């Protein structure tokens, strides 16, 4: 057996996270180490996306969200932003068939209207063409940030309060959750960040409240199936207490 099959066999299929959220970080450093520009790193990140999506679908994970472009990433040099957008259009267009062959539905969360009409058209086309797929949802977080999402949800709720359909004392966690970008998607049980940075960088701030966080030094373009397996194995060893004591959790099972 190969190393990666060994690892896969250590995963308990009964205890899989339903939703894994990933911060794909380290493309620039990966390229720099090889004497190339940052864009070269982004181009090589695409293979890691493919491998990760395939591994997640094979395992039976229902949702995977990939942080592909943050609200703050708009502040990067113009050439890099343009190259990322070009890469996005090309990749999305090129992957529609593979997504359909693998029964994977593409979705997107974020301030999508801030993207160019061309990027948005390609994105919507791929979303539309894969909308019937049911095995796994591959969610791209694009022009996304957790604070933007929370502010956007509050704006929608404020409008309902103004028109009288919601009363102020009806605003609770459930109502706020229902106004997030994709309220049908369960909160991620596991969040993975590559590249050795130990921060959230404005990802899923609301939804990560009780997620298990996993950090790896691997730079995103090097991330492969085995690295996803390692994160899930680590996740499965943890005890999720949600504020309770360890004893309470054991009693619950009995
Ligand atoms: C992640 O890699 C990709 C995006 C944020 C779009 P980076 O581009 O952040 O790479 P580093 O972190 O500078 O190495
Ligand atoms: C987070 O990575 C955003 C994405 C992966 C899309 P960044 O590289 O932008 O985050 P910081 O700047 O290191 O916090
Ligand atoms: Mg980075």
């Amino acid at each position: 057996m190969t190393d990666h099959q060994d690892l896969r066999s250590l995963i308990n299929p009964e205890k899989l996270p339903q939703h894994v959220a990933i911060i794909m970080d380290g493309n620039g450093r990966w390229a720099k180490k090889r004497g190339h520009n940052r864009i070269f790193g982004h181009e090589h990140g695409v293979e890691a996306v493919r491998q990760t999506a395939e591994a997640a679908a094979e395992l039976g994970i229902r949702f995977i969200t990939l942080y592909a472009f943050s609200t703050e990433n708009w502040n990067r040099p113009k050439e890099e932003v343009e190259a990322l957008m070009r890469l996005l259009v090309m990749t999305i267009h090129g992957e529609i068939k593979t997504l359909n062959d693998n029964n994977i539905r593409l979705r997107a969360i974020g301030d999508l209207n801030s993207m160019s009409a061309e990027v948005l058209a390609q994105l919507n086309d791929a979303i539309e063409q894969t909308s019937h797929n049911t095995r796994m949802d591959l969610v791209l977080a694009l022009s996304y940030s957790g604070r933007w999402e929370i502010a956007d949800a509050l704006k929608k709720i404020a409008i309902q309060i103004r028109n009288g359909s919601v009363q102020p004392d009806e605003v609770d966690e459930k109502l706020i959750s229902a106004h997030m970008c994709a309220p049908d998607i369960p909160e991620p049980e596991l969040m993975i960040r590559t590249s050795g940075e130990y921060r959230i960088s404005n990802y899923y701030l609301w939804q990560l409240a009780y997620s298990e966080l996993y950090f790896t030094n691997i730079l995103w373009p090097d991330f492969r199936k085995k690295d996803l397996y390692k994160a899930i194995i680590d996740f499965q060893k943890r005890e999720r207490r949600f504020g309770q004591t360890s004893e309470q959790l054991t009693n619950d099972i009995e």
Side-chain angles (χ1 to χ4, degrees):
M1 264 204 291
T2 64
D3 175 40
H4 112 268
Q5 280 168 325
D6 274 346
L7 281 170
R8 190 177 163 176
S9 68
L10 295 176
I11 295 176
N12 178 354
E14 308 291 324
K15 280 175 60 185
L16 280 177
Q18 278 197 80
H19 180 189
V20 178
I22 303 182
I23 302 181
M24 312 185 286
D25 197 19
N27 295 352
R29 280 163 281 169
W30 186 91
K32 199 174 168 197
K33 272 190 0 192
R34 287 160 178 78
H36 287 276
N37 67 12
R38 302 176 50 81
I39 294 156
F40 182 78
H42 298 315
E43 287 164 357
H44 282 264
V46 175
E47 183 55 26
V49 171
R50 264 190 217 113
Q51 294 267 335
T52 306
E54 196 175 291
E58 285 166 355
L59 285 173
I61 289 170
R62 189 60 193 80
F63 301 94
I64 180 163
T65 308
L66 304 177
Y67 204 1
F69 193 85
S70 74
T71 308
E72 289 74 24
N73 290 151
W74 286 113
N75 299 324
R76 291 196 178 186
K78 191 166 164 275
E79 309 77 61
E80 183 173 346
V81 171
E82 280 172 4
L84 273 165
M85 292 297 149
R86 259 200 319 277
L87 188 63
L88 195 66
V89 171
M90 274 163 42
T91 309
I92 288 171
H93 189 72
E95 295 296 315
I96 295 176
K97 188 177 178 309
T98 313
L99 291 169
N100 280 331
D101 288 347
N102 289 288
N103 197 12
I104 297 172
R105 176 182 172 193
L106 184 75
R107 299 175 67 174
I109 56 168
D111 187 11
L112 304 180
N113 289 323
S114 66
M115 325 246 302
S116 77
E118 192 209 350
V119 176
L120 196 55
Q122 291 282 351
L123 182 65
N124 282 335
D125 183 48
I127 289 172
E128 172 63 32
Q129 287 198 50
T130 61
S131 60
H132 56 281
N133 294 330
T134 54
R135 185 180 179 203
M136 184 179 83
D137 288 13
L138 171 62
V139 187
L140 295 181
L142 288 171
S143 191
Y144 173 87
S145 73
R147 286 186 178 176
W148 167 83
E149 184 183 34
I150 294 168
D152 191 60
L154 294 184
K155 214 179 295 168
K156 290 180 208 150
I157 294 169
I159 292 170
Q160 293 171 27
I161 292 177
R162 189 177 58 189
N163 71 25
S165 59
V166 168
Q167 297 305 310
D169 63 2
E170 289 172 339
V171 178
D172 58 8
E173 291 184 18
K174 206 167 150 226
L175 187 82
I176 297 173
S177 293
H179 287 82
M180 294 288 155
C181 288
D184 62 300
I185 302 180
E187 290 169 10
E189 296 95 324
L190 171 62
M191 196 288 291
I192 300 170
R193 183 177 188 141
T194 59
S195 89
E197 306 291 359
Y198 297 86
R199 55 178 172 262
I200 303 294
S201 299
N202 218 346
Y203 197 27
Y204 269 155
L205 293 183
W206 179 264
Q207 297 86 339
L208 288 177
Y210 269 102
S211 308
E212 295 298 328
L213 308 180
Y214 178 88
F215 298 97
T216 168
N217 288 332
I218 305 245
L219 301 174
W220 180 252
D222 288 330
F223 197 85
R224 290 294 176 268
K225 290 185 178 187
K226 66 171 175 23
D227 301 302
L228 181 70
Y229 300 157
K230 283 182 191 164
I232 294 171
I233 292 163
D234 191 275
F235 164 81
Q236 292 187 332
K237 286 186 193 144
R238 301 190 193 181
E239 179 180 59
R240 305 187 70 206
R241 286 195 285 279
F242 301 99
Q244 291 190 289
T245 67
S246 192
E247 291 71 23
Q248 282 177 300
L249 296 171
T250 325
N251 291 340
D252 284 350
I253 298 166
E254 280 168 2

